[in-house]
Amino acid sequence: MHVESEMPEGATGQDRAAVTRPRPGHADLAGLVKYGHDDIRDILERASARETAARVAVGAIARQLLHAVGADIASHVVSIGSAAVAHPLAVTFEQAEAIPADSALHCSDAGVERLMIAEIDRARDAGDTMGGSFEVIVHRLPPGLGSHVQWDRKLDGRLAQALMSIPAIKAVGIGLGPGVAAVPDRACTDEILLGAASGAALGVRRPTNNAGGLEGGITNGEDLRVTGYMKPISTLMKPLRSVDLTTMTESPAAIERSDVCAVPAAAVVGEAMVAIVLADAVMEKFGGDSIEELVANWQTFRARTAARFRQPASAPTA
């Protein structure tokens, strides 16, 4: 079996062997048809998740802007294959933030993480790969970001597009995500009670956060919680069937450099994409030509919102 590899040092484009056997699950065949290329290499390199390195760099700057208005971001791996954290929404921002940097899979539960590692080991031994899910949590995010008035301004849609643009992410959930389809309204809607929400300058709070910090496309002062669902990487060491487009005969798919599981790495990209979208929303809401002006606008908004929700002296408490 011929195996394509990276170009050796000093080689030119003319020296490399053309890739002609598209890998199922990748952009190989669709991209070749769209752009009329003969060499799939031109497709697979541009469709590689390596392009997300630039997004992570931009996301680092976006995080600093969010920090200026009090917001912080963390993430944790929720599932790998069938091994999963039982109640992801019960994982607090503080718990996700406290996961050690040298954690093998950046999971909040050490016992579940061991099960995840076993899933990955089994896939590696079988020449297969594993997918999973991760959650990004944004703490102390200002309320009022996004809008309900136009479809392209809704923050939930903007976040979903941003995360779905990460290679191999096939679904996005906010708060309970797909779980809302299986329960009655009382089990997934967050009541509104008197009392300040953490960092939100509101006079009301939620005992639950099933909405994931977004209602009607607008942040509501609770932690923003967004989950990305990643398919298994489609490059296999024991490749699936494909067709050699040079000879038009059936042949095993090409083999490229690959990981067995990239969910923890995808979580880092997910944090960056969430940060980029939220930084844009913060600029829309608070504006300004400098950080100092933006922060001043945010502080004015906080003071005005706090005054709006201030309870009368005679108001009963829950």
Side-chain angles (χ1 to χ4, degrees):
M1 180 187 302
H2 174 63
V3 178
E4 283 79 15
S5 61
E6 297 182 79
M7 259 192 290
E9 185 176 353
T12 67
Q14 287 72 33
D15 297 324
R16 69 186 185 188
V19 181
T20 59
R21 292 173 286 125
R23 299 161 300 165
H26 283 277
D28 298 359
L29 181 59
L32 181 141
V33 171
K34 177 175 177 61
Y35 291 107
H37 293 313
D38 295 319
D39 186 353
I40 294 171
R41 174 76 60 194
D42 298 330
I43 303 299
L44 69 87
E45 296 294 359
R46 186 60 186 87
S48 167
R50 289 192 300 276
E51 62 87 15
T52 60
R55 307 196 210 181
V56 174
V58 174
I61 298 172
R63 291 172 77 117
Q64 293 181 51
L65 187 146
L66 293 174
H67 188 71
V69 296
D72 286 310
I73 301 179
S75 68
H76 64 109
V77 171
V78 173
S79 67
I80 301 290
S82 62
V85 175
H87 302 290
L89 290 185
V91 178
T92 66
F93 171 82
E94 291 77 14
Q95 289 172 325
E97 188 180 41
I99 298 173
D102 60 355
S103 168
L105 296 176
H106 212 70
C107 177
S108 63
D109 186 315
V112 174
E113 186 170 79
R114 287 191 288 272
L115 297 176
M116 293 176 175
I117 292 171
E119 289 269 24
I120 294 171
D121 288 343
R122 283 192 291 271
R124 179 186 292 110
D125 292 343
D128 215 330
T129 60
M130 290 300 302
S133 61
F134 61 86
E135 184 185 43
V136 178
I137 308 174
V138 188
H139 191 48
R140 295 188 300 271
L141 188 64
L145 303 182
S147 178
H148 66 279
V149 302
Q150 199 73 15
W151 68 268
D152 58 343
R153 294 181 61 194
K154 290 171 65 73
L155 197 56
D156 43 10
R158 292 157 65 179
L159 287 164
Q161 192 280 332
L163 266 74
M164 287 287 287
S165 74
I166 301 170
I169 301 301
K170 303 299 287 184
V172 173
I174 296 174
L176 276 179
V180 300
V183 295
D185 182 69
R186 289 181 180 274
C188 65
T189 299
D190 308 304
E191 293 184 301
I192 304 172
L193 306 178
L194 289 174
S198 175
L202 296 179
V204 295
R205 62 180 176 84
R206 311 297 180 103
T208 57
N209 188 20
N210 295 319
L214 278 170
E215 289 177 305
I218 306 171
T219 55
N220 64 9
E222 302 296 327
D223 283 357
L224 178 69
R225 306 186 69 116
V226 186
T227 301
Y229 298 85
M230 186 179 193
K231 73 182 181 69
I233 296 171
S234 297
T235 296
L236 303 178
M237 296 302 104
K238 295 180 180 179
L240 298 174
R241 293 178 295 177
S242 183
V243 171
D244 190 316
L245 300 180
T246 300
T247 62
M248 292 307 297
T249 57
E250 291 190 358
S251 176
I255 299 176
E256 287 290 317
R257 52 204 176 278
S258 180
D259 297 313
V260 176
C261 180
V263 176
V268 175
V269 184
E271 288 187 33
M273 295 308 297
V274 168
I276 291 169
V277 171
L278 293 180
D280 189 45
V282 165
M283 289 295 297
E284 289 175 357
K285 176 65 177 172
F286 303 117
D289 296 312
S290 66
I291 290 293
E292 291 77 14
E293 187 176 2
L294 182 146
V295 170
N297 292 341
W298 165 61
Q299 291 173 339
T300 299
F301 170 79
R302 278 177 58 86
R304 184 173 64 249
T305 303
R308 169 68 180 80
F309 282 90
R310 188 173 295 122
Q311 296 179 39
S314 59
T317 57

